[in-house]
Amino acid sequence: MNAVLEFFYSNKEAIFIIALTIFLGLEVISNVPSVLHTPLMSGANAISGVIIIGGIILVGHADLENLSGDSNLLNLILGIFALFFGTLNVVGGFVVTDRMLEMFKKKK
Amino acid sequence: MDKIIFNIPDIEIFRGEIILEFSYLLAALFFVYGLKLLSHPDTARRGNLWSAGGMLLAMFTTIFLYRGGADHTTIKTANLLVIFVAIAIGSVVGALVARRIKMTAMPQLVSLFNASGGAASALVALIEFSNPDNSSALVTLLGLAIGSIAFSGSMIAYGKLDGKINDIFTKWMTYINLVFLAGVVVLVVLILMPDTPNKQLLVYALLGLSIVYGVSFVMPIGGADMPVVISLLNSLTGIAAAMAGFIYGNQAMILGGIFVGAAGMILTLLMCKAMNRSLINVIIGSFGGGGAGIDREAGIIKEITVSDAAVLLSYSSKVVVIPGYGLAVAQAQHACNEMEKLLEDKGVEVKYAIHPVAGRMPGHMNVLLAEADVPYDKLIEMDDINPDMPNTDVVVVIGANDVVNPAALDDPSSPIYGMPIINSHEAKNVIVMKRGMGKGYAAIENHLFYDDKTRMLFGNAKDSLQKLVTEIKSL
């Protein structure tokens, strides 16, 4: 029990954020008409590409002068791939969502 | 001299850090506001731009203000170059694919993008595990496992939607999946224990097993359940990104990821509700095959000629079109829209009835009809159109099957029993456009086709509609 309390206390900010964000996610989505489910999924999918920030941090702070040490080179290559995949997710996702939404028009 | 160098950067670091954190807060708010706007057709496009703007902001401030590495500096020029090249290539590829893809292939593309997001999360977590400064092993491992599952699962979903992979289902698949899942959990726990040797090796094992689990988890799911799985995988990618966000204590990643994860989860549950099935049932149960059929195959198929169909439609006062994936495959949206306009000129009221799971992903049919310039206020959701069905003169079912199958209402042995359908059998007349007597995507017999008031119009939907248009014009 003490361990649980301690975990809660030391992570209280994160837990607050998570709880409120989950609630927010439910609130925002539950009113979406099914007309928009596909663009919504692809738009939300593009947002999950926010992992791109992790890719930027990894590649940005890889030690390019000491690539032979440890597994630096491998990590750099994997990091570049992460960045590439993240960009693909973000750019592709937003572009294709925009393309879909462009077509939704009201009757003239 | 030393003193000045020490002081000025200190203030700059402080200022930069504040701007960076503030930009993450703004980005997170942009995501939420963007998705909020996305919930109405009029504002949806703007909403997407807000989200994209948030992402761009977070990317730029991270590139120019984030401090890291041993020397706690912003990113060096050489690294910047690598970053810009990687982002440029990713952007060009992503934008080209997104621009060129056909609207019918949208579900595949979303799966593919989702797979790449999952892969990115898994890679980031994999690299961060070997970083000695990273003190959050639990979230790193969760990010690795969830990201890998989302990656391989989405790849399989892509292959299935694209017709490259068939469903594989046997009874023991469920148990194998449980074993794989248990294996993933055991590996995570083992790696977290302080005394476990060879941790790096176990991390690779976790990566491998998660990929295998993603494959075996999506493999048996098929038929009408595909939309649910896409949405579920979408949600997983969001959660994986959030886990990676915890590694860096990055609020934009945490908020964005959890937000998408929660949104994806509620969308998944909404779709399960639309099919009257529980999520567990979708995941462990197989779909398709079985059910009624042979014994109830009483009744005769009655065909209708194009000219008879044209007369029937032209002299009706209320017509409802029920489009299915067959319409999209035949690229018949435009011909359909033309028919609708001709009929309206003759004073016929024409509406479209959209089932929540019509097409290969939720809302897919709406996108396809929007592409053909059908205004979205003519697309009526199932619950709103069903009460109107008995007053409808003619229902035109184009390339749809399971979503109008009355077995869902009255045949407890049918695999789709309990799924709400569009009650086309209550209309006065039904015209079904179909390529042949083949069964639908879920391979279930449909007794609507044998009904007394049903007339079949066989052939490619586009050809049939074009002939119908010519015929209606000449009336």
Side-chain angles (χ1 to χ4, degrees), chain B residues 425-454:
Chain B
H425 55 280
E426 287 178 0
K428 290 171 193 151
N429 294 283
V430 181
I431 297 177
V432 178
M433 291 191 191
K434 240 173 124 8
R435 278 155 57 93
M437 270 318 286
K439 290 170 182 172
Y441 191 52
I444 304 158
E445 197 69 55
N446 192 339
H447 292 278
L448 177 71
F449 303 158
Y450 303 92
D451 201 288
D452 272 344
K453 56 192 172 199
T454 303

Side-chain angles (χ1 to χ4, degrees), chain A residues 46-57:
Chain A
I47 294 178
S48 69
V50 69
I51 184 68
I52 191 174
I53 293 177
I56 293 172
I57 294 174

Side-chain angles (χ1 to χ4, degrees), chain B residues 98-149:
Chain B
R99 283 265 156 232
R100 296 214 172 140
I101 193 87
K102 278 192 196 140
M103 284 297 151
T104 39
M106 192 56 63
Q108 289 95 304
L109 187 70
V110 172
S111 293
L112 207 58
F113 285 152
N114 195 46
S116 81
S121 296
L123 286 172
V124 168
L126 182 66
I127 301 168
E128 280 299 336
F129 184 79
S130 52
N131 180 356
D133 297 336
N134 174 13
S135 57
S136 28
L138 174 64
V139 286
T140 312
L141 295 174
L142 287 179
L144 177 66
I146 298 173
S148 312
I149 294 170

Side-chain angles (χ1 to χ4, degrees), chain A residues 11-89:
Chain A
N11 294 291
K12 58 181 187 302
E13 280 164 8
I15 294 169
F16 262 79
I17 292 178
I18 293 177
L20 289 176
T21 313
I22 291 175
F23 187 70
L24 198 63
L26 302 186
E27 273 305 295
V28 169
I29 297 307
S30 48
N31 300 319
V32 178
S34 61
V35 182
L36 287 171
H37 277 173
T38 292
L40 183 78
M41 269 169 87
S42 102
N45 184 223
I47 294 178
S48 69
V50 69
I51 184 68
I52 191 174
I53 293 177
I56 293 172
I57 294 174
L58 280 176
V59 177
H61 296 285
D63 191 352
L64 293 181
E65 278 140 37
N66 182 25
L67 286 178
S68 49
D70 290 343
S71 47
N72 283 355
L73 183 62
L74 176 70
N75 280 354
L76 176 68
I77 293 172
L78 291 179
I80 292 174
F81 269 104
L83 191 51
F84 169 76
F85 284 133
T87 315
L88 196 65
N89 191 186

